[in-house]
Amino acid sequence: MAGIRRVNGKLSGINPAVSCSRLRRVQALLCDGGPSAPEGLLCSLGIDSRYNEGCSELAKFLFYGLYGRNQLNLEHVLEEFPDETLDDVILLIKAQCVHLYCNPMNYSYLLPYVSHWRNLHLYCMTEAEYEDEEAAEEFKISSFVTMVQDCYRIGVPYSSQGHVQRFDVFMVEKWPLIQAFALEGIGGGSFFTMKYKLMDMSEKLWKVYNRLDPVSLENLLTEDLVNFEKQWTGFFSSMDLESHLSILELSEAQAGEAFRTYYSHGLISSNITDKSKSQQPFVLFGKHSSSEDLEAYSFNFPSESHQVRNTGLEGSAARHMILQCVAPKGPLACSRTYFFGTTHSPYLGNPNTAQKNTDVLLLSQIYSAAVQAVLSGIKCYSFTSSATKAQDVAENTFLVLLDSMDLSQYRSSLRSKCEFGIQAVNMEGRIIPLTDGDSRYVVKTASMTVRDIPDLRGGRGALGSVVFSESFLESGINIQQKDGTVSSDSCYTILTTSVPRYACWLMESDFKQSEQAQHLAKNEEGTCVGRALTAADAAYVISSSLLSAPEEGKIVFLSEGLLFIHPQHGSITLSKDHISSIKFYDPDCGGVASLLVEYDSGLLPHLPFPLRSAERCLLFALQPRSKSHRAFYSKVLSVWKKSDSGLNLQMVEEKHLSWNQKNMHTRLQKLHDSQEPPVAKRRGSLKTSYCQLPEQDMFLQHFALSSIGGEPILYDHLQVLFTSAELKEPVNSHGDKVVITIITGLPGSHKKRLCDFLVQLNKEHGRWLVYRPGPDPRGGFSASDLQQYMSGLLESPRGLGPKPRLLVLSPGYTDVLEVVQAVLLHPDPVVQACFAIGAVTACVDPLASCVEHRFALPKLLEQCSQGMVSAVVFTGGPGEQKNPLVQHVQQLVRSANPTAAFILAEGGAVTRNEDVNLIFSESSFGEPQMLRARYVLYPGWCKGRFSGGCGCLVLSQQRVAFSRPLERLLFVPGCKALKSSLRPSPYRGNVYNVWGKLQFSDSEQLMEVSYNTLSGSLCVVPDRGPDPVTPGASCFLVFDGVGLTEDGLKDWLRLCAKQKQKKKPKNTKNSLSPQDIRSIHRARHLEPLPPGYFYNGHQYVDIFGEKLSFHPYMEEFIQEYLAEANKEVELFNRQLELQGQPDLFDP
């Protein structure tokens, strides 16, 4: 499924849907805990937390495959940098956002996990910045201080599962990271535990970890289940060493050695200290499997004295064994009942041979009823989630099957002795109540035990007990029908189905009978099955019985039948006297050839019990190009086709096979395709055949949706979500609906230019409508405003006209999911039915995307969301491609949306026709892979119930209107100065984008201006139309930033306008400069002198001979000059008062 990629142990196996789902489940602990819940969850790895196990466990959960047992192939990584570099991670999870500190080395390994997280605040230096070790350490501490500044209660995952530690805040205070918090200058300046209240979140997190999702299920299938099946392989291998004679000496301790070692060794390393109930392995023989023995059994003390030879009735050999294998550190467990001896006698030509009336047959019949009862109980529970109903169905099924097998005499005695139960088992192997809400997403074990089966025929006491259990997992999704009602759809898978449900070992009498039957193939004279046509060659056999699995043996074709030498059941002879018909199906593609033998009731006494089925059909499979396959065509076909052969052989095609026959053929074909040993080749290697089951793919798709959440799926989408066809399939046309193209992007991303360019480019192809929302004081998006606009289009007197198109331009810092939900969930169903989304395109200018370091502006990644956005237009210049910041943003966007097409369009000008067609696509939003991604990444999106939340950095918009022209020579430098005035965290007062319309004093034309502070991009172009928001205001500017105030912005704008003229102050003698005084003197130095003075051409001399540099009347001259100059000042000031100087913001 799109958005669901199976983990394969490689970096490409990271599953973004699971990463987001796991994060949401952790965040739910912060939302659902009430007022006492912590405001953040702190996780620090490595030496910074003294290698705390609880933090490591949380990291393994969120960054699965990168840390812990399932590490990716990181050998080459570890050569480049040590473990402490990989562990250099600090994570603070809040209810709606996430703070993540990492370094440039481990950044690329963490990115695939976190790029889909909503509202991610990333603290990561560039490679060049990180080279300064002291600066890097200070950056880490300051980042940590910034993370926690808005919190008071902080949760810590202190303990890991299986290693519980008493929570001690003083131990947390000893963490190096916490101690660094107290550093003066770069730290918080006080002890961390004095400023913040710490809380242990370990136990709540353990419940989250135990919930299965597609990744943990994949690990369960590929690792835990493989190990579990290896124990059964070991069991069968040890049993195979026993002959029909030595098996009598086998003890319970010897038979159960593999299970006991597996379980006990696992418990040693699990360190589980709680007292919760768990299952345990056992192996019990014959009558030693009574109720009392089951209750008293302890796997630590297996019995050496109870052997096959002495655990039957009256000291005879046992006829069966019950056994259970349990995973010590996981949820898997299953039990089986296997048998000593066979239930049939090979047909040797005696037509009056009756069915063996043995204890083995009786126990096999009761066991078969228990198997079908458990499977019916599992099916009932999966569809009803009721353990009581499942128990009723299972017990009733068991009793009905007893009647159908002519065992009615056992009905009353076994009614009270059959016990059915279902247990939920978490990932640690501990049993949890089915009433627990978390039990829905854990593996369950369904079991039936039939205790103390009496020997009603012989009266020799109790035969012992039979048991059967399977581990299974159910999946349920809610489906919203077209009429609005919600129904449920459930399915299940049995995880331990590859463990053989039936097995038996030949005893001495069975071995002799089998040998007699094999002599038929060696007898050259005629026998009851004719003469041998071929030698014994490999073939498979299977029936539609629930106890049957593909078994490999040797097949011998005879002129009047066939002989199959089964590895467990011995020889099976099929004579023409018992064969109704034979169908031979050989696919043309070189697949497995199937020989389907339909038989009558006369064969039943000569057929092993697990091969008997209601359909009375056996399928023998011949591998392509095998000896048996070639021999059938060369030696058998011609003989069997003869009319006197007595065999009704038909060459058929697949369409002539029944459903059961097709299913049997498919199972054998998958077994052959796997190119692995068969399940029952004496169990030398038990194959993990779960992955070969036909229904597995469907269940995994079903579970991928159900495990994400309980939000409903629209009925119309089911076919797309569960289709096996190619992802890109034809999508129905929208007909007469208005197709909406959504353009989104941050302020400064040139999305408006792209919109204008596209409308201008395509205006001749139809009527284009453009929705441009007005500036919002909160910088947010108004769904109601868009919905009113859509309604208004339909109500317009002009109508929509033929084939209209609508371009929706989203506001700056808006999650594109909000816009999509607003369109799809219009409150008026009539309006809703008239619109359809064609495609969503995001505009990104990399140089205008990051606040600092690698911290992106809010909603950058949300605007490029996978499943929503089909194309990302990079609007930067072509020469910027080698810029490290550009490469970083492109890497970030590609990780957040691996399926989006990347388009290069400088300034929003798209140059290629195929790019224009992609943006205007009418179907890309509805493509199957997009739809699947939306369901797994954004549960509830189709009903408007998925909330993207808000980030830690909140940007707002301020719109400032004015009526006076600005000075171009002041405005441009003022904009450029905004970049140098940017402040670090908490970024208050920073302006990141300016857009608006204004006039400059050197022109009467209205200009549209846009400036992005981060990129330094300034654009001034003539305005093409009136302000769509406030037509009455001639000039306005919209500012985007953090903590902006209207007064502060107005003061900045005043500096960009023509400055006010100030009143001139009056002149005084002290205000005159020496140059002014010399000027006065120079102008009047020849004025008449007082009596007694004369001027010698350089100085003034009186009668006493004293000399002066200035005229004797110089003081009068200065006062006259001041009086004249102040008249001019008064006139200027009076004129200034009369003229008046309006403020930039005056009406």
Side-chain angles (χ1 to χ4, degrees), residues 1-5 17 727 866 928-934 936:
M1 298 183 66
I4 288 293
R5 293 172 294 173
L727 291 181
Q866 183 179 358
Q929 73 270 26
M930 299 281 284
L931 184 63
R932 295 173 198 174
R934 289 197 288 276
V936 296

Side-chain angles (χ1 to χ4, degrees), residues 11 88 318 420 454 575 594 613 764 870 943 952 1060:
L11 196 62
D88 188 21
F420 175 83
S575 168
S594 295
S613 64
E764 67 275 7
S870 55
K943 302 304 295 178
C952 48
K1060 281 185 177 182

Side-chain angles (χ1 to χ4, degrees), residues 490 691 814 922 930 933 953 985 1100 1117:
S490 302
C691 296
T814 301
E922 296 186 10
M930 299 281 284
L953 181 63
S985 179
Y1100 300 92
F1117 297 159

Side-chain angles (χ1 to χ4, degrees), residues 650-690:
Q650 306 172 43
M651 308 293 285
V652 299
E653 297 179 359
E654 185 178 10
K655 63 183 179 181
H656 298 123
L657 303 181
S658 67
W659 185 88
N660 275 334
Q661 291 170 346
K662 289 179 182 178
N663 188 45
M664 289 189 291
H665 175 80
T666 301
R667 291 182 66 184
L668 287 163
Q669 183 63 53
K670 283 183 172 288
L671 183 63
H672 170 72
D673 293 342
S674 67
Q675 296 181 345
E676 293 183 26
V679 173
K681 189 178 181 180
R682 298 304 296 140
R683 275 73 181 186
S685 59
L686 183 64
K687 200 181 82 66
T688 308
S689 60
Y690 174 84

Side-chain angles (χ1 to χ4, degrees), residues 743-805:
I743 307 291
T744 185
L746 298 176
S749 63
H750 307 291
K751 63 183 176 183
K752 184 178 180 298
R753 288 194 210 170
L754 174 64
C755 180
D756 295 339
F757 177 82
L758 293 173
V759 172
Q760 184 67 23
L761 186 67
N762 293 274
K763 62 182 179 181
E764 67 275 7
H765 297 301
R767 183 182 173 201
W768 286 90
L769 306 168
V770 181
Y771 170 77
R772 290 186 173 95
D776 188 277
R778 301 161 298 171
F781 166 71
S782 173
S784 60
D785 186 62
L786 173 58
Q787 291 167 348
Q788 289 175 7
Y789 179 86
M790 294 166 62
S791 300
L793 290 180
L794 297 183
E795 298 168 0
S796 172
R798 296 174 55 191
L800 290 173
K803 198 63 177 175
R805 296 290 298 268

